[in-house]
Amino acid sequence: TVLAAIDVRKDVDGLSTLNLGSLAKPGDSPLAVPCTPAGCMELLRRSGIDVAGKECVVLGRSGIVGMPMALLLLEANATVTMCHSHTQDIASVCKRADIVVAAVGKPRFVKGDWLKLGCVVLDVGINRVEDTTRKSGYRLVGDVDFESARGKASLITPVPGGVGPMTIAMLLHNTVCLANAAS
């Protein structure tokens, strides 16, 4: 694969087998952390959210977001439940969560009535939906139905403009860290 051909010392995305393996191994540190999950953790930190002891639900188990997000939350002492396409009654699982991270790639998948009052919602999804009022013919929405969720959540990231800019910031952070390590 292309990813396997990239020197781990230049893996600014943090997605190499070595970086993901180091993330999964307690006491080990990856050279770079996957950007989107790292951005989510930074958003939580800067919002004053201590995840230790919190019930966290990660929707989606991809190697790019879901799996590393779950590992970072575990490392921060959260209690983590990972949901995927075979999870039974996802709505009930979400209702227990203090923190919900949605990364399933389905527009407006998570509904407000799935959420516990006061929870924190990180919407990682970015989906195109038809919008004939726009010149482009579409608009971007997340994996969370923002309108129904914002009344339940104490904090919620918008799409666009929430997690995406943090992903870019973490990519730049990883680039600088790897460049410093190389010199």
Side-chain angles (χ1 to χ4, degrees), residues 160-179:
V163 174
M166 289 305 298
T167 299
I168 294 165
M170 295 300 103
L171 182 65
L172 294 172
H173 172 81
N174 285 349
T175 303
V176 169
C177 288
L178 290 176

Side-chain angles (χ1 to χ4, degrees), residues 96-182:
R96 297 192 316 257
D98 301 305
I99 300 169
V100 175
V101 181
V104 293
K106 294 183 178 180
R108 300 185 194 106
F109 179 73
V110 178
K111 310 300 182 209
D113 61 2
W114 293 14
L115 302 173
K116 178 169 133 179
L117 187 62
C119 71
V120 173
V121 178
L122 298 175
D123 191 347
V124 178
I126 188 155
N127 307 284
R128 284 185 181 191
V129 296
E130 186 177 329
D131 185 344
T132 57
T133 67
R134 300 258 175 128
K135 184 177 180 181
S136 64
Y138 69 90
R139 65 187 168 101
L140 299 176
V141 299
D143 290 350
V144 177
D145 181 5
F146 187 84
E147 289 308 313
S148 69
R150 69 193 238 178
K152 284 285 202 71
S154 61
L155 296 170
I156 184 170
T157 57
V159 175
V163 174
M166 289 305 298
T167 299
I168 294 165
M170 295 300 103
L171 182 65
L172 294 172
H173 172 81
N174 285 349
T175 303
V176 169
C177 288
L178 290 176
N180 287 340

Side-chain angles (χ1 to χ4, degrees), residues 1-143:
T1 68
V2 172
L3 189 56
I6 297 171
D7 185 327
V8 69
R9 295 167 297 178
K10 295 180 181 179
D11 175 27
V12 294
D13 290 311
L15 299 174
S16 69
T17 302
L18 182 63
N19 278 323
L20 288 175
S22 294
L23 187 62
K25 184 178 177 191
D28 209 349
S29 295
L31 296 175
V33 176
C35 301
T36 300
C40 288
M41 293 302 289
E42 187 67 13
L43 277 169
L44 291 168
R45 187 182 72 75
R46 289 183 181 242
S47 298
I49 307 298
D50 181 9
V51 303
K54 298 281 192 318
E55 289 273 345
C56 300
V57 170
V58 177
L59 301 172
R61 58 181 170 183
S62 74
I64 296 172
V65 179
M67 190 62 67
M69 186 75 229
L71 291 169
L72 288 172
L73 288 165
L74 283 169
E75 182 181 46
N77 298 313
T79 299
V80 180
T81 301
M82 182 174 275
C83 295
H84 48 77
S85 60
H86 295 279
T87 301
Q88 301 292 311
D89 197 7
I90 291 177
S92 291
V93 177
C94 288
K95 283 182 183 174
R96 297 192 316 257
D98 301 305
I99 300 169
V100 175
V101 181
V104 293
K106 294 183 178 180
R108 300 185 194 106
F109 179 73
V110 178
K111 310 300 182 209
D113 61 2
W114 293 14
L115 302 173
K116 178 169 133 179
L117 187 62
C119 71
V120 173
V121 178
L122 298 175
D123 191 347
V124 178
I126 188 155
N127 307 284
R128 284 185 181 191
V129 296
E130 186 177 329
D131 185 344
T132 57
T133 67
R134 300 258 175 128
K135 184 177 180 181
S136 64
Y138 69 90
R139 65 187 168 101
L140 299 176
V141 299
D143 290 350

